[in-house]
Amino acid sequence: MTDEQTPSNNLDSILGTDVEELKKAINVAIEARKNAKTFRSSVGIAMQMYDGTIFPGFNIETYAHKGYHAEEVATINALSAGYHGTDFKRMIEIFQDAGHDEVEIFPACPLHCWGTLLEFTHPYLQIVVADVSGNVKYSIRLNELFNTDKGFDIYPSVKIREIKPKLNVMPKLPLSEELKPFYESDAKFRAYCDNVLKVRKI
Ligand SMILES: [Zn+2]
């Protein structure tokens, strides 16, 4: 991490003009983390929609086999309210494991949660990682987590989504102005919006 990316001075550069909105979301993630049902690791998530609605998520560990990651819980909370796909603006993640030190944080867990987010949100979801005190460490778009310059698509590709369509995947909101440059420049994202999400046009 460079000096330019330290928590105290990077909020504006990361998130433009909505710093107050970001702080509100960070607080939701901090509070959500307190609800973690866990033996050790506690994760808090705030999933923010483009209309400003924020959904909390926390991890749930069980005595049985299956646990639930905070990213999953927040995503399901949003889906339950009818949001999907390009409705998702940003995910705040606050993570600390008892066995890790304070600076060892990461933007959702690879494989399972990255895939879950890709399937139910969209490639340009903004992921903001903060420490347990709410200091922003960094921000990244979901698709930046994947190395896709090797000529392959991460499952589920737009192609498989078109071949095997799902019900109830239409977003609740029109395509955000913030996402429109990506819609114009990224043919796969455009196909996802048009053919899979059938996102409402303004
Ligand atoms: Zn996860």
Side-chain angles (χ1 to χ4, degrees), residues 69-72 93 106 108-110 112-114:
H69 288 197
E71 300 91 333
E72 290 179 282
E93 171 142 16
F106 51 84
C109 40
H112 178 75
C113 281
W114 291 6

Side-chain angles (χ1 to χ4, degrees), residues 14 21 50 54 72 95-96 105-106 113 127 131 133 165 172 177 182 202:
I14 289 174
E21 187 183 53
Y50 271 109
I54 301 173
E72 290 179 282
F95 168 90
Q96 186 172 30
I105 54 177
F106 51 84
C113 281
I127 298 173
D131 65 19
S133 300
K172 192 172 187 172
E177 289 292 331
F182 302 118
I202 292 174

